[in-house]
Amino acid sequence: MKKIEWDDGLSVGIDVIDGQHKRWIGHFNSVVDAIESRGGHAPVTSTLGFLIDYTDLHFATEERFMTATAYPEIAAHKAKHDELRVSVANLIADFEEEGDTPALEQAVDTFLGTWLIEHIRSTDQLFGAYITETGLILPVD
Ligand SMILES: [Fe+2]
Ligand SMILES: [Fe+2]
């Protein structure tokens, strides 16, 4: 399985969001560690749980920022977040039913790892560019 490493090419130009993406990647890498250490059900369940909770928090932050700045692409961006929410819910349901299988590992790589990076590189960076170009101020809380 492949871990994700942060690099500057992933920056969206907004410190709060970059900081959250770094923590998000950290949670993703913990899931990979938990699966690869073959320590059983509990560590995978708990690391996946942390990743899910952090995903909710992170999406809520971005969606609040987009609402506050009247971002024109908010509907499309939110739809992508919703897609991931569904993928992750399915992934957890499969894990609860079948445990750690090669299919689960593949799904973690594809639905989470690849998705995270692509989403940051395309969708999140578009929002970052909007904020940079308009000079709009993001809400502190
Ligand atoms: Fe996003
Ligand atoms: Fe994001």
Side-chain angles (χ1 to χ4, degrees):
M1 300 183 73
K2 236 171 92 194
K3 287 198 191 180
I4 299 173
E5 242 179 85
W6 168 266
D7 68 70
D8 289 343
L10 293 174
S11 175
V12 301
I14 301 167
D15 286 346
V16 181
I17 294 184
D18 283 349
Q20 289 193 356
H21 285 160
K22 287 176 190 172
R23 292 194 61 189
W24 203 24
I25 288 169
H27 284 301
F28 173 83
N29 289 339
S30 298
V31 173
V32 174
D33 275 337
I35 292 174
E36 287 192 332
S37 64
R38 310 281 164 209
H41 209 89
V44 179
T45 304
S46 86
T47 51
L48 265 177
F50 282 124
L51 179 69
I52 300 331
D53 288 349
Y54 199 73
T55 301
D56 284 340
L57 179 151
H58 171 60
F59 285 177
T61 300
E62 285 189 355
E63 289 169 12
R64 199 173 63 243
F65 284 175
M66 290 189 275
T67 302
T69 57
Y71 182 50
E73 301 301 324
I74 184 170
H77 194 140
K78 268 184 86 167
K80 295 204 170 157
H81 287 174
D82 289 339
E83 273 170 31
L84 186 80
R85 288 179 174 114
V86 171
S87 296
V88 167
N90 289 338
L91 197 145
I92 291 182
D94 289 350
F95 176 68
E96 295 302 333
E97 245 174 63
E98 294 161 28
D100 175 6
T101 62
L104 174 90
E105 297 184 17
Q106 180 70 39
V108 168
D109 268 340
T110 309
F111 289 126
L112 291 180
T114 306
W115 190 95
L116 293 184
I117 294 305
E118 283 181 7
H119 183 77
I120 292 173
R121 284 219 175 100
S122 51
T123 312
D124 286 346
Q125 285 184 340
L126 277 181
F127 176 63
Y130 169 74
I131 293 303
T132 308
E133 281 160 21
T134 58
L136 285 164
I137 306 296
L138 295 167
V140 175
D141 205 40

